[in-house]
Amino acid sequence: MSATHPSQERLGPGNAPEPEAHTAPHHAVVDHRNLPVDPAPGQCLRTWLRDQGSTGVKKGCDGGDCGACTVLVDDEPVHSCLYPAHRIVGKNVITVQGLGTPESLHPVQENFLNAGGFQCGFCTAGMVCTVAGMSEADRKDLPRSLKGNICRCTGYRSIEDAVAGHTNLDPGHQGVGSSTGALAGPGVVTGTARYTMDLDTGELPSPMLYGALVHSDRAHARILAIDTEEALREPGVVKVLTHREAPMRRFSTAQHELLADDPADTRVLDDVVRYYGQRVAVVIAESQRAAERGVARVTVTYEDLPAVFDVERADAPDAPVIHPEDPPEATAGRSHPNVVAEVHHEIGDVDRALAESFVTSEETFHTQRLSHMALETHGCIAWQEPDGRYVLRTSTQVPFLVRRTLGQLFDLPRDRLRVYCERVGGGFGGKQEVLCEDIALLATMATGRPVRIELSRKETFTATTVRHPFRMTVRAGADRDGKLTALAVDVRANTGAYGNHGPGVLFHGVGESIAVYNAPNKRVDGLSLYTNTIPSGAFRGYGLSQMIFAVESTMSALAAKLGVSELSFRHNNIIRPGDPMLSVEDEPEEDLVIGSYGLDQCLRLTEDALRRGQQRWREKEAAGGAEDWGDEWRFGDGHAVAMIATAPPRGHIAHVEIELGPAATYRLKVGTAEFGNGTSTVHAQLAASRLNTTTDRIRLVQSDSDVVEHDTGAFGSTGTTIAGRANDHATKRLVGDLRSMAAAHLGVAPEAVAIRGDEAVTDGGSVALDRLRDACIERTGKPPAAHGYWDGSERSVAFNVHAFRVAVNMATGELRILQSVHAADAGVVMNPHQCRGQIEGGVAQAIGAALYEQVIVDENTGKAVTDIVRQYKAPNFADVPRTEVYFAKTSDELGPQGAKSMSESPFNPVAPALANAIHAATGVRLTRTPMTRDAIHAALAEAGRLLGGTYAGEAGTP
């Protein structure tokens, strides 16, 4: 355990550090400092603490719902966003930074570090403070005592382990295959790791300004006038910018390597609004408060235009055209101007095959809008350096693509722009966009001063992006032997008011979801359509989670009609090594291969786990310790499979550089961002394994457009598979160079040399790496270094299987998850604890999506009415079962050191596995998410299967 810090005793009633004596009235002790308390009228404690330099206190929700801002006031955990700052006068306040430091950790911080109890870490400061203030009784009732703290990344298992003091990490700083701790771990648990808004304003060239956005209050309208005079009279307001000051050029907020992947249909600020909540103007002021007061004084005059909110009506002949300004070449080939993308393809003869099938199934499915709800909201700080160069510090998954987009928008050459991020507080695809960076740069160019744009939680719900809602009709057939004869899907995806990601989500969604099954006859008809609603965007799974819900539900329906188990039906029809992966083309994609195959293992692993779970229940029942469920409950199992490509198509580029530093350390430069995806740790492990050293010798520099030539970004699960492969290339080259240098020094062949720790060794001698470094610098002026590159020209696939055992109350519709099992083909697992955490976090988020999360849009106005966290209902500790995670034993021939991707794929099979388990228990097939308790009750009632109805089900055997 670390050395004792004055505040390291467990905090709780009577255990807080003694406050210093107040030397003046209106003071408080904050993290052992005696500070005057003079907040602005109505100021909350969170913003006041951050003004004092307590950047470990995070902004997550603005409403006391997420707990990221939790601090201790006289020993008691409080949500500082709700706590008035003036109330701390005479009190003792401890933030996460006051509990301990990276060099001297509080025991709770040490426990979170040893358990690996975080991923992105944005919630961790508040989580640590909550746990530090717990009594022993609180620790025994975590569903109650952690109900005010949300984690969007981990799935809570590792947090529970941290509270219990369990260690999940391996000792030391090991390479591939070890559960090595995150490089930033000590900073995360102490609140000293810097996120986007944790910038010391002293680092800026001049005082910072603040921007606040004016949003449209109608769904489709032309702006006739914007009156800014009253806003400019507001004290502190410096400037108001509208479409008149913004570039005319159109772009896509979506960011991909190929610009043609997304329609250029968006302006920085437009004179036409196409959804309720679209940004209309930005008010720039000396303070955030002044900017927000200015927003309230901007008056916009509109001419209303006809709107369409229903995706089924969007391509009707009389539907209003949402983007009439699109040039003819952009709409060529579209069946309607509101169609942003479409696909129509048939392999074989589906109608004939269905007519000849022994059993068929046809059903229509719907999936809802979801919010990414990353706890760190979208934000950016922009400024101009004295040399004229513009710098943007932003919360993004794609800093290099942001630089490219801004350069094109504002006619700035590449060397005039730098875009970087530090640690990012969650992404899930939502930060693969330009949603605030363009406004920040526009504002700093207009004012000549640094400008900060930080979206509120309400703005992230109503004015950023959501998951695409899908309507899917699936038709499928099978013969008497249980072989698929045909599989057809008809899809409508609602891309909202702008087409960012619309084509990609549609094409990807109908891709691997169908290709995972062998069927001689397949048909796809898909449309992605504009509506006057909040834009849809990239979301974990990228269309697959929607489509897999429909396809996997259909596979289980066919199995039931055949009278066989859903597992045997899947075993009979899933793709095998050597089979073509066919969906929307007659030939498989040339760059997509099965680099390793573990789907059969995953099916067996989940089947065996459920069998063990039932055996445990029987043993418990025999011992008299089983719960008496009564006559109202029915029980069922459900499975679903998922396949996903390990990188996007059409190019994904990463450059990596590594350099030998002093004392046998290495400076590793990568472009990928860290937002809970774990790539920072994996990059260090990959390099350490190749260099036969430890991760504490790897100095990682990342997510900065100045660092390497280019990196497409961390999305599509590419942080390991693309950037990791570039890393592997670079480190192998450096090892080769060092062996050659050592061989020349030692007079042996390079193949006789091995790199070990701080030396290059042979059977007959060794040479220190520092000596080789000095010799290289003397000869070339530079230390030994190597470059690696990968372009994603070959792609593999990863597999996931999820299984549930559930209980359903046939009288009330209540659902309980009795067992949750996930099996993953991740290739060689780089970091078992971290990869398990990715799976658990994906499963937790997917359970929320399956059962209750939903962004609701008013069908009459198009307004997103879900605008606070408590309305949205993200899962908290009590909502998430402890999922059993198993890994198939494979090694991928394409991945770096055998690895595959595993950040988004675990999300995809969860909803259908739940739906299939509910069907097994009740006989009712739910076809719409979220599958709420009310929805289950209504489906039971409609089917006449409420308790006392016609359905008996399987009773009494959980």
Side-chain angles (χ1 to χ4, degrees), residues 286-448:
E286 298 286 352
S287 70
Q288 190 68 41
R289 282 189 162 209
E292 290 169 2
R293 287 195 299 266
V295 164
R297 293 178 176 271
V298 173
T299 302
V300 185
T301 303
Y302 296 98
E303 174 194 352
D304 287 319
L305 300 172
V308 58
F309 308 127
D310 183 356
V311 72
E312 301 292 346
R313 288 274 310 145
D315 60 344
D318 60 345
V321 176
I322 296 174
H323 288 276
E325 75 287 350
D326 284 350
E329 60 270 20
T331 58
R334 295 186 194 172
S335 56
H336 189 280
N338 286 340
V339 173
V340 69
E342 59 187 302
V343 56
H344 305 283
H345 187 75
E346 185 167 13
I347 300 169
D349 188 336
V350 167
D351 290 336
R352 179 189 57 79
L354 288 172
E356 296 173 356
S357 294
F358 180 64
V359 295
T360 62
S361 177
E362 179 174 352
E363 191 61 78
T364 297
F365 301 85
H366 295 84
T367 55
Q368 79 279 31
R369 291 176 178 85
L370 296 174
S371 173
H372 308 82
M373 220 196 86
L375 285 188
E376 181 192 39
T377 64
H378 298 264
C380 178
I381 302 171
W383 67 91
Q384 188 174 24
E385 294 285 6
D387 63 2
R389 193 171 188 231
Y390 290 100
V391 179
L392 287 90
R393 173 190 175 97
T394 184
S395 180
T396 184
Q397 298 172 224
V398 286
F400 291 80
L401 299 188
V402 170
R403 178 183 63 178
R404 181 185 68 182
T405 294
L406 295 179
Q408 291 171 343
L409 272 174
F410 293 94
D411 293 320
L412 291 171
R414 177 171 164 166
D415 61 1
R416 290 280 311 282
L417 272 171
R418 175 193 174 202
V419 177
Y420 78 100
C421 53
E422 292 204 33
R423 200 168 180 90
V424 176
F428 317 116
K431 293 173 181 175
Q432 191 195 336
E433 307 265 357
V434 169
L435 296 174
C436 57
E437 295 88 352
D438 54 338
I439 290 286
L441 181 56
L442 176 70
T444 202
M445 292 177 80
T447 62

Side-chain angles (χ1 to χ4, degrees), residues 870-944:
R870 68 186 61 184
Q871 289 176 334
Y872 185 70
K873 185 61 180 79
N876 61 25
F877 183 92
D879 299 316
V880 179
R882 200 171 174 105
T883 293
E884 301 170 42
V885 177
Y886 302 95
F887 293 109
K889 297 185 184 304
T890 68
S891 179
D892 196 83
E893 65 185 37
L894 299 182
Q897 298 185 42
K900 293 188 184 183
S901 59
M902 200 48 56
S903 61
E904 59 181 328
S905 56
F907 185 100
N908 296 329
V910 171
L914 265 175
N916 292 336
I918 292 168
H919 179 267
T922 66
V924 170
R925 171 69 60 192
L926 295 177
T927 60
R928 184 184 294 267
T929 55
M931 298 177 286
T932 63
R933 177 172 174 170
D934 287 349
I936 296 172
H937 184 274
L940 290 171
E942 183 179 354

Side-chain angles (χ1 to χ4, degrees), residues 209-212 236-241 282-286 291 443 446-447 451:
L209 295 170
Y210 299 79
V237 171
V238 173
K239 216 175 248 304
V240 181
L241 302 175
V282 57
V283 178
I284 308 160
E286 298 286 352
T447 62
V451 178

Side-chain angles (χ1 to χ4, degrees), residues 54-71:
S54 297
T55 54
V57 183
K58 302 304 183 190
K59 167 191 170 177
C61 69
D62 306 314
D65 297 322
C66 77
C69 68
T70 302
V71 301

Side-chain angles (χ1 to χ4, degrees), residues 780-842:
T780 68
K782 297 183 294 186
H787 170 265
Y789 166 81
W790 184 239
D791 62 1
S793 55
E794 297 175 291
R795 301 180 297 140
S796 186
V797 288
F799 300 100
N800 297 77
V801 177
H802 202 94
F804 286 105
R805 185 152 178 83
V806 304
V808 181
N809 189 304
M810 300 294 286
T812 66
E814 180 184 351
L815 171 73
R816 295 187 191 176
I817 297 174
L818 306 180
Q819 190 177 4
S820 173
V821 182
H822 195 98
D825 174 14
V828 174
V829 179
M830 299 286 97
N831 185 311
H833 171 73
Q834 186 171 274
C835 192
R836 180 183 174 189
Q838 289 291 308
I839 291 170
E840 291 168 329

Side-chain angles (χ1 to χ4, degrees), residues 176 191 202 204 224 246 274 331 333 400 424 440 445 467 494 664 722 740 757 766 802 834 853:
V176 164
L204 297 173
L224 300 179
R274 295 174 176 84
T331 58
F400 291 80
V424 176
M445 292 177 80
R467 183 178 75 161
N494 188 340
I722 300 295
S740 295
S766 65
H802 202 94
Q834 186 171 274
E853 292 187 35

Side-chain angles (χ1 to χ4, degrees), residues 27-205:
H27 277 58
V29 175
V30 178
D31 290 343
H32 322 295
R33 298 176 295 159
N34 199 322
L35 299 177
V37 181
D38 186 23
Q43 187 173 19
C44 70
L45 180 57
R46 184 196 70 208
T47 59
W48 184 85
L49 285 170
R50 288 187 63 85
D51 287 346
Q52 313 311 308
S54 297
T55 54
V57 183
K58 302 304 183 190
K59 167 191 170 177
C61 69
D62 306 314
D65 297 322
C66 77
C69 68
T70 302
V71 301
L72 295 158
V73 178
D74 285 350
D75 302 353
E76 293 296 320
V78 302
H79 288 180
S80 61
C81 68
L82 295 182
Y83 197 94
H86 70 85
R87 286 181 56 188
I88 67 167
V89 170
K91 298 182 184 294
N92 184 42
V93 178
I94 296 289
T95 76
V96 69
Q97 290 162 274
L99 284 174
T101 67
E103 298 75 30
S104 180
L105 297 172
H106 183 278
V108 170
Q109 293 169 326
E110 191 162 31
N111 285 347
F112 269 78
L113 188 63
N114 292 337
F118 58 88
Q119 284 180 39
C120 85
F122 198 78
C123 72
T124 305
M127 199 78 70
V128 165
C129 285
T130 296
V131 175
M134 285 183 182
S135 65
E136 285 305 311
D138 292 332
R139 291 169 183 263
K140 294 176 181 177
D141 189 8
L142 293 183
R144 178 189 61 82
S145 52
L146 281 180
K147 67 181 180 181
N149 291 80
I150 290 174
C151 178
R152 198 59 168 157
C153 298
T154 67
Y156 296 102
R157 184 267 314 171
S158 61
I159 292 171
E160 182 180 19
D161 289 350
V163 176
H166 296 160
T167 295
N168 293 325
L169 303 182
D170 295 332
H173 302 272
Q174 303 172 47
V176 164
S178 168
S179 290
T180 298
L183 304 181
V188 169
V189 301
T190 58
T192 53
R194 299 207 315 178
Y195 295 80
T196 308
M197 295 301 159
D198 300 337
L199 179 69
D200 184 343
T201 56
E203 299 175 43
L204 297 173

